[in-house]
Amino acid sequence: MKIDTDFVLKLMNDFENWRESYNGSKYGYGLDEYCKDMKYEYPEAYAKFGNGYLLLYRVTGDKSWFHKAKECANWLLENYYTDFDNYSWGLPFKFKSVPAFSSYLITTVFCCDFLLRAYNMIGRNDYLSAVLGASKWILNELYTQTMHLEDKRER
């Protein structure tokens, strides 16, 4: 099956035009299914859009996609959650019993996946440093806390 790349690129451009008309340069801004009453900026959305922009840049060579990917990566570096010693990201709203702006493993992994891809294409060491910092959060802070809770349950 042959893919009509011109058609796919037109769809992506149309979608990007809609996204820009909706939230301008706030790539990850919008509503969430679980918090429909307020708009927030979502780290996971910045990571997913950023990965898409990297792919579009790789396919087209269009520097505007490259620039947007860098903006997403830079936003993540400026907006990580500071409750821990290392980089981590999560939800900007309270979800069930978890307070707003708490770190989530899955969100952090999506952000790291994008930042590592951005590092490989763009070469900025601060992107790699954030990924390594998030790895420390997972191993030294998240994993240690989880193990501590499990130890308490076993007693």
Side-chain angles (χ1 to χ4, degrees):
M1 178 176 144
K2 186 174 181 338
I3 296 174
D4 183 349
T5 53
D6 291 335
F7 176 73
V8 172
L9 290 174
K10 182 189 177 329
L11 284 177
M12 296 308 301
N13 279 306
D14 288 349
F15 176 74
E16 181 61 12
N17 290 335
W18 170 84
R19 191 210 52 76
E20 284 180 348
S21 71
Y22 179 73
N23 59 10
S25 64
K26 292 182 174 184
Y27 300 98
Y29 184 70
L31 296 171
D32 189 278
E33 172 182 346
Y34 298 104
C35 186
K36 297 177 182 172
D37 58 335
M38 209 161 164
K39 291 181 180 179
Y40 293 99
E41 290 190 81
Y42 293 86
E44 186 174 329
Y46 276 87
K48 290 182 177 185
F49 273 105
N51 265 331
Y53 295 142
L54 286 176
L55 178 62
L56 286 165
Y57 170 67
R58 210 171 77 224
V59 169
T60 67
D62 182 340
K63 288 277 191 184
S64 67
W65 299 120
F66 181 80
H67 177 70
K68 290 175 183 198
K70 283 175 42 176
E71 287 181 338
C72 288
N74 293 339
W75 186 92
L76 289 172
L77 292 183
E78 294 168 6
N79 293 281
Y80 65 97
Y81 296 164
T82 57
D83 286 349
F84 297 98
D85 293 334
N86 293 292
Y87 283 86
S88 62
W89 297 268
L91 296 175
F93 59 88
K94 182 181 184 292
F95 183 68
K96 297 185 180 184
S97 64
V98 180
F101 301 102
S102 293
S103 299
Y104 281 78
L105 177 61
I106 191 67
T107 304
T108 298
V109 169
F110 281 126
C111 294
C112 287
D113 173 68
F114 165 56
L115 288 170
L116 190 56
R117 291 171 193 265
Y119 167 74
N120 285 326
M121 284 187 77
I122 299 167
R124 285 192 36 190
N125 286 331
D126 50 349
Y127 298 166
L128 181 59
S129 294
V131 172
L132 295 172
S135 299
K136 290 177 185 173
W137 171 73
I138 292 167
L139 293 172
N140 299 336
E141 297 177 68
L142 177 67
Y143 183 72
T144 303
Q145 286 179 351
T146 305
M147 292 304 293
H148 181 69
L149 291 173
E150 287 176 3
D151 287 347
K152 283 185 176 180
R153 277 187 241 136
E154 289 176 5
R155 291 182 191 162

